[in-house]
Amino acid sequence: MHRIWLIAKREYLTRVKSKTFILTTFLTPLGIVLLIAIVGFIMTRGSDTRKNITVRDTTGLVSSSLESRKNIVYEYSTEDLEALKEKYIAGEIDGVLDIIPLDSITVTRHRIMFYSDDRLAIDEMESIEDAVQEKIREFKVRELDLDEAKIALLRTNVQIEQQTIIDKDKKVSTTGTIVGSVLGGVISYAMFFIIFLYGAQVMRSVMEEKINRIVEVLISSVKPFELMMGKILGVGSVGLTQIGIWLVLFIALGIAMPQFLNMPVNPGEISGMAGVSQEEVGTLMNENQDKFVEVVQEILSLNWFVLIPLILFYFFMGYFAYAALFAAVGSAVGEDINEAQSLTLPVMIPLILAIYIGFAAINSPNSTIATWGSIIPLTSSVVMPVRLPLDPPWWQIVLSVVLLVAFVILFVWIAGRIYRVGILMYGKKASFKELAKWLFYRS
């Protein structure tokens, strides 16, 4: 055990003190937040080219009152269509919107014409269609002599409020379900990424030492199993250290983000862009702020004293199992590093399958595939963390834990049997048949 500890300590300190570890640990959370901000900025920008569009309306449908939005400025004209086309050719306008008369007051689909050689962007097309649709709706309300106030009463926003029957103290809400699903999905993806990343690091470390013949010196002092376990524990500890630092940084960023969300905004600027009044903008901002507070409260209400130990358990057990298999693969690789690709495929298939089952579990955490995916050891380390924030039955968690522990013991034993033979095997390409024989070699 002392030798395992020394090897694990060496692996841990070598990686933690490296510049790569320090930079990736502290810059990754900032990079993720920056990436989210950039993506959000890009997705909300839309078209930024100002277009002057002349509207020709001989029908009275839009009543010369289309609101300018999405950098589109409407001008109105009663000139002939051909004359307006000549203005476009001369570069005086950017397009002509011709409002076609309705065939009937009862039509549900209507076509309008836009004349321009420049293709409309999707957001510009939607902006024009929405503006004309709203004016046609107002026209129909007037023609049918309907009461707008009574029509508004037909719209009813339905929300589900769930109440428990047996467990009266259990808090269940729609927001909580959404928050739990999203949080579980994030944890699941992080588990997949970290297990794969650090498992692959174990494999690369074994391969490098074997190819450089360093392992021959190490094996003279320690047993192969001790060397493998030391590498797995050392690299796994690096992973836990990095996860811990990331959690602290993400919590700190989460506390700081509301300060940015409450930055002063010019409601007049937003209303001009979105085509809504300043009162509506203020109401929308208050609703978004209340929703954010509700989401934070749901996150804080989760039983983190149970979630954190279970998440760490699934991470460590999942990592331990796959890292042992990666170490076995690394020991079986000969002089050609490319051999690892064919040997790692069977190891990667269950892990990739687990992430897809995890995505399915986000939408339906109690489905059959999600339930069994969180119990079967090959996938439970990734799928069960998706379900944990949504309170799965305790018997499923206990069964999953027991099976995962048994699975880890079995696979560490198998990996150890392969490792002790493969680590000193040179010049021979290992096949799956050859690996099976190594399991039964005597020491």
Side-chain angles (χ1 to χ4, degrees):
M1 189 65 189
H2 178 67
R3 293 174 179 175
I4 294 176
W5 163 251
L6 289 177
I7 296 170
K9 181 180 179 181
R10 171 186 170 276
E11 292 287 336
Y12 177 80
L13 293 178
T14 301
R15 284 169 169 76
V16 168
K17 291 180 179 180
S18 66
K19 293 181 179 179
T20 302
F21 174 84
I22 296 172
L23 290 175
T24 56
T25 299
F26 290 97
L27 294 182
T28 296
L30 296 175
I32 291 175
V33 173
L34 182 62
L35 178 63
I36 293 174
I38 292 174
V39 171
F41 175 78
I42 292 173
M43 296 301 292
T44 56
R45 289 299 293 172
S47 300
D48 55 2
T49 303
R50 181 186 177 93
K51 286 191 175 182
N52 296 314
I53 296 178
T54 298
V55 181
R56 179 178 178 272
D57 180 20
T58 59
T59 65
L61 288 176
V62 300
S63 303
S64 301
S65 58
L66 286 180
E67 296 177 352
S68 299
R69 61 178 74 180
K70 294 285 185 183
N71 296 311
I72 297 178
V73 178
Y74 296 105
E75 299 174 353
Y76 299 89
S77 175
T78 57
E79 295 182 58
D80 183 76
L81 181 59
E82 295 301 323
L84 293 176
K85 290 181 180 180
E86 291 296 329
K87 284 188 175 181
Y88 172 80
I89 295 173
E92 298 177 14
I93 58 177
D94 297 322
V96 180
L97 182 64
D98 190 19
I99 307 299
I100 308 297
L102 290 174
D103 296 333
S104 169
I105 196 68
T106 60
V107 296
T108 56
R109 299 180 64 89
H110 185 58
R111 178 175 57 89
I112 57 177
M113 296 299 298
F114 181 74
Y115 298 94
S116 174
D117 289 353
D118 297 327
R119 188 186 299 273
L120 282 173
I122 293 178
D123 61 334
E124 294 173 339
M125 191 182 304
E126 291 177 347
S127 175
I128 295 173
E129 289 175 348
D130 291 343
V132 175
Q133 283 175 9
E134 182 63 25
K135 293 305 174 182
I136 292 178
R137 178 186 176 280
E138 295 175 1
F139 173 79
K140 287 186 176 183
V141 169
R142 292 193 304 269
E143 291 296 311
L144 296 173
D145 195 21
L146 301 177
D147 190 337
E148 184 67 43
K150 291 182 179 179
I151 294 176
L153 295 176
L154 298 176
R155 302 171 183 171
T156 305
N157 184 16
V158 177
Q159 293 181 335
I160 295 178
E161 182 176 344
Q162 188 173 345
Q163 185 174 358
T164 56
I165 299 175
I166 299 176
D167 189 355
K168 298 293 185 180
D169 297 328
K170 185 177 181 180
K171 183 181 178 182
V172 181
S173 66
T174 304
T175 303
T177 301
I178 297 173
V179 169
S181 298
V182 173
L183 183 62
V186 171
I187 294 173
S188 173
Y189 189 77
M191 297 282 278
F192 165 81
F193 176 76
I194 293 171
I195 288 173
F196 171 73
L197 175 65
Y198 289 102
Q201 281 194 21
V202 173
M203 182 181 69
R204 285 195 298 269
S205 176
V206 172
M207 291 168 56
E208 289 172 0
E209 290 182 354
K210 179 180 177 180
I211 293 173
N212 295 329
R213 302 298 175 102
I214 298 175
V215 71
E216 295 178 2
V217 179
L218 296 174
I219 292 299
S220 64
S221 304
V222 298
K223 295 179 180 179
F225 184 79
E226 293 174 336
L227 180 60
M228 185 189 77
M229 291 297 295
K231 285 185 174 295
I232 292 174
L233 290 173
V235 177
S237 299
V238 174
L240 287 176
T241 302
Q242 197 164 50
I243 292 172
I245 296 174
W246 282 349
L247 285 175
V248 173
L249 291 177
F250 277 123
I251 291 173
L253 291 172
I255 294 174
M257 280 184 67
Q259 304 300 323
F260 294 99
L261 293 176
N262 290 331
M263 291 174 62
V265 180
N266 183 358
E269 181 181 352
I270 297 179
S271 63
M273 293 174 59
V276 295
S277 65
Q278 295 187 11
E279 292 77 8
E280 291 174 322
V281 171
T283 302
L284 182 62
M285 292 175 63
N286 290 332
E287 289 177 354
N288 290 337
Q289 195 171 27
D290 293 341
K291 197 68 176 178
F292 177 79
V293 173
E294 184 180 356
V295 169
V296 172
Q297 290 175 345
E298 288 291 343
I299 294 175
L300 296 177
S301 67
L302 293 174
N303 192 354
W304 289 103
F305 293 103
V306 175
L307 281 177
I308 291 178
L310 281 175
I311 290 171
L312 291 177
F313 167 81
Y314 279 103
F315 158 72
F316 206 72
M317 289 292 101
Y319 160 78
F320 217 90
Y322 281 100
L325 295 177
F326 277 120
V329 169
S331 68
V333 174
E335 299 289 336
D336 186 6
I337 297 180
N338 294 326
E339 294 177 14
Q341 295 179 356
S342 60
L343 294 176
T344 53
L345 182 60
V347 179
M348 288 299 302
I349 288 177
L351 198 56
I352 295 173
L353 182 63
I355 195 66
Y356 281 103
I357 296 176
F359 288 150
I362 294 175
N363 292 325
S364 184
N366 295 319
S367 63
T368 302
I369 189 171
T371 300
W372 284 105
S374 63
I375 294 175
I376 296 174
L378 283 169
T379 57
S380 62
S381 57
V382 174
V383 179
M384 181 57 84
V386 177
R387 303 182 64 216
L388 286 176
L390 300 172
D391 298 325
W394 273 105
W395 70 266
Q396 294 180 8
I397 298 177
V398 173
L399 179 60
S400 174
V401 167
V402 172
L403 291 177
L404 185 56
V405 171
F407 167 82
V408 170
I409 294 174
L410 173 64
F411 269 68
V412 168
W413 178 83
I414 292 174
R417 301 289 291 184
I418 297 174
Y419 186 90
R420 69 189 177 92
V421 178
I423 197 65
L424 294 175
M425 188 75 69
Y426 293 95
K428 185 177 182 180
K429 185 175 181 179
S431 63
F432 292 109
K433 183 178 180 180
E434 190 72 22
L435 294 179
K437 291 181 180 180
W438 292 358
L439 294 177
F440 303 101
Y441 280 178
R442 293 185 178 181
S443 302

